[in-house]
Amino acid sequence: MGEALSRSRASRNAALSSGFNDEPEHFLCPGNQGVVMAGKFELFRDGGVSFRFRLKAPNGTVVAVSKQYSDKASAVEGIHAVRECAGTGLITDLCPPMPRKAVKKQAPLPVATAV
């Protein structure tokens, strides 16, 4: 696992130093041109001041937007952190409980009768 992680970091660093600015699609899907992906990350400048990334669904809907990063390499590391954690992340519900009166009651389901 450690060796694979080191190789993936090395390939990320190589991509950053060899054309990432010109061809981001090669960085996002190296060696797999034309492969349909579940979604894509877009790296962009936020007002020309900081770097951010957004995750888009295949239909173009923005699913998530990152925090601000001071440099591109940090933003790319953020993308990789999301890729590593998102598939195994647990869901924690931090929403306050809804009061009973605010919960919409559903009509009872009809009961089948024998003929």
Side-chain angles (χ1 to χ4, degrees), residues 14-43:
L16 277 173
S17 63
S18 64
F20 179 73
N21 293 330
D22 301 327
E23 300 176 347
E25 68 276 2
H26 294 293
F27 179 74
L28 296 176
C29 193
N32 292 317
Q33 301 309 316
V35 173
V36 177
M37 297 177 66
K40 69 177 180 177
F41 287 94
E42 293 180 342
L43 186 61

Side-chain angles (χ1 to χ4, degrees), residues 70-89:
S70 59
D71 57 73
K72 185 184 283 187
S74 296
V76 170
E77 283 300 317
I79 291 171
H80 290 288
V82 169
R83 283 179 163 173
E84 290 176 17
C85 297
T88 59

Side-chain angles (χ1 to χ4, degrees), residues 3 7-9 20 36-37 113:
E3 182 180 74
R7 274 186 277 156
S8 67
R9 283 193 178 138
F20 179 73
V36 177
M37 297 177 66
T113 57

